[in-house]
Amino acid sequence: MSVNIAIDGPAGAGKSTIAKKIAGKLGYIYVDTGAMYRAMALFLLREKIMPSETEKINEKCLEADISIGYENGEQIVYLNGENVNGLIRTEEVGNMASASSPNPNVRKKLVELQQKLAADKDVVMDGRDIGTCVLPGAQVKVYLTADSRVRAKRRCQELEERGVACSLDEIEKDIIERDHQDMTREISPLKQAEDAVLIDSSYMTIEEAADAVIALLNR
Ligand code: DC
């Protein structure tokens, strides 16, 4: 039977960095589900659909073929066969992903893909609804969070490293808005699964947080 580790939490809590670290240490596959929602968002933006056009999103999303592969251990997301890894990390795509991800057709399509990946492989999967909906039987479930100001600082640093100027206050405002949207939506809202362990990464190093999760597996 495959081993599944589910990590959920708000944007910027360090999910992907910590999940990658865990996957590397254990030799598991890392599955970034946010990247799949972002690829779908890119598709919708290219179709000139606005975040508020829920009916159009519901129809058009059926035309997007999203799949993932791995190159040198890195997850590659394909949108209709095109590697879109380099195009999905913008604020515009992130905002569209947040707006379009509550859509039932979007979720159905991507959750099926995620469950298929985890069925026969040891995975560390991160997202918003992994412990609650996608992998309810995961052996380890973690709800990873961090203070919104700390998360905004991390995001700003990331952007600055890529040469993008940013305002800390603006980014924090965006993060709080995104949290609200993700936590209050009707379908699969972001919430801690009853059997998930809460880890606050605000003042932890990546190594410490990764080891805290691995300790849960060895429990
Ligand atoms: O983790 P991220 O910022 O790459 O995710 C982008 C958006 O996708 C986020 O606002 C919520 C959505 N998402 C989701 O609804 N379910 C998931 N399992 C992962 C992401």
Side-chain angles (χ1 to χ4, degrees):
M1 198 179 81
S2 60
V3 180
N4 295 166
I5 299 180
I7 303 184
D8 291 302
K15 295 188 301 290
S16 62
T17 314
I18 291 161
K20 264 186 219 159
K21 188 90 190 170
I22 299 164
K25 284 187 174 211
L26 298 175
Y28 289 12
I29 285 172
Y30 165 55
V31 184
D32 172 0
T33 63
M36 299 176 192
Y37 288 93
R38 285 172 181 269
M40 178 61 86
L42 178 66
F43 171 78
L44 297 168
L45 286 169
R46 283 177 170 177
E47 293 291 321
K48 308 267 182 283
I49 296 174
M50 304 291 290
S52 57
E53 294 180 302
T54 45
E55 283 295 311
K56 276 195 188 167
I57 292 174
N58 209 31
E59 278 169 33
K60 267 287 167 197
C61 74
L62 299 173
E63 293 171 22
D65 175 37
I66 295 179
S67 59
I68 72 167
Y70 290 87
E71 272 174 29
N72 304 320
E74 192 202 348
Q75 175 182 294
I76 311 286
V77 189
Y78 297 96
L79 169 59
N80 296 328
E82 174 192 353
N83 174 347
V84 292
N85 269 30
L87 304 172
I88 57 176
R89 299 284 156 204
T90 64
E91 292 302 299
E92 188 193 16
V93 170
N95 289 334
M96 183 56 158
S98 184
S100 58
S101 58
N103 187 282
N105 282 350
V106 171
R107 293 212 82 76
K108 186 167 176 287
K109 203 173 175 123
L110 298 183
V111 167
E112 275 172 14
L113 171 64
Q114 291 153 16
Q115 288 174 333
K116 238 183 252 165
L117 284 165
D120 56 356
K121 290 189 185 72
D122 296 336
V123 299
V124 185
M125 188 178 287
D126 76 2
R128 303 295 192 285
D129 61 337
I130 310 306
T132 51
C133 296
V134 181
L135 306 175
Q139 287 86 345
V140 171
K141 293 185 188 178
V142 168
Y143 189 84
L144 188 73
T145 188
D147 183 76
S148 64
R149 195 69 177 176
V150 173
R151 289 190 276 140
K153 277 187 189 151
R154 288 176 183 165
R155 181 84 189 116
C156 258
Q157 201 177 340
E158 239 176 65
L159 288 171
E160 277 162 6
E161 276 165 15
R162 285 175 16 211
V164 183
C166 69
S167 141
L168 191 58
D169 286 339
E170 279 288 312
I171 297 273
E172 189 181 16
K173 195 172 134 261
D174 237 39
I175 280 179
I176 292 170
E177 235 167 67
R178 178 103 50 101
D179 284 357
H180 181 75
Q181 206 164 26
D182 292 346
M183 287 171 179
T184 56
R185 68 187 186 197
E186 234 165 80
I187 299 182
S188 304
L190 168 64
K191 65 167 191 242
Q192 185 177 346
E194 271 175 28
D195 50 352
V197 175
L198 177 77
I199 296 181
D200 185 332
S201 75
S202 301
Y203 304 103
M204 282 172 119
T205 63
I206 292 158
E207 197 73 26
E208 283 168 346
D211 287 343
V213 178
I214 293 172
L216 295 173
L217 184 64
N218 296 332
R219 212 173 25 176

